[in-house]
Amino acid sequence: MQLLWSDEGKNSAAPVPSPEKWSHEAIVARSNIRPVRREKLNRAANSGQNPGLDFLQKCWSDDPALQIVIKKLLAKFPQWGIACVDGVLVDWER
């Protein structure tokens, strides 16, 4: 989902579906890259090594099927300093 920010004095994120994200080509592309991403997430789960906020955010925003895996990783490794807040991944140490 794409996030839009309101300029009405407070920051509020409103999820807006992106039609391009659900095109046949986009779905096929996600299906093709999912095993590679899942393998990297599995390595992180086994090693405890943080795959990086940028990688996690890319997986999170591109592939809803990986969001559950990422949530479990964040719960397992709070020392990474990454949290899911209102459906968005954030580095709470920044």
Side-chain angles (χ1 to χ4, degrees), residues 17-31 62:
S18 172
E20 308 84 44
K21 186 175 185 170
W22 301 109
S23 70
H24 176 72
E25 293 80 11
I27 292 169
V28 169
R30 274 196 303 279
S31 294
D62 284 351

Side-chain angles (χ1 to χ4, degrees), residues 66-82:
L66 296 178
Q67 290 181 1
I68 294 169
V69 176
I70 293 169
K71 284 181 182 180
K72 288 180 181 180
L73 276 175
L74 299 181
K76 184 175 181 180
F77 299 106
Q79 66 270 25
W80 291 353
I82 301 171

Side-chain angles (χ1 to χ4, degrees), residues 8-51:
E8 298 175 11
K10 64 177 185 174
N11 287 337
S12 62
V16 177
S18 172
E20 308 84 44
K21 186 175 185 170
W22 301 109
S23 70
H24 176 72
E25 293 80 11
I27 292 169
V28 169
R30 274 196 303 279
S31 294
N32 289 337
I33 197 155
R34 184 176 294 141
V36 174
R37 288 177 169 175
R38 187 175 291 278
E39 178 61 31
K40 186 169 181 176
L41 293 170
N42 286 339
R43 280 195 311 270
N46 293 330
S47 70
Q49 187 173 13
N50 185 341

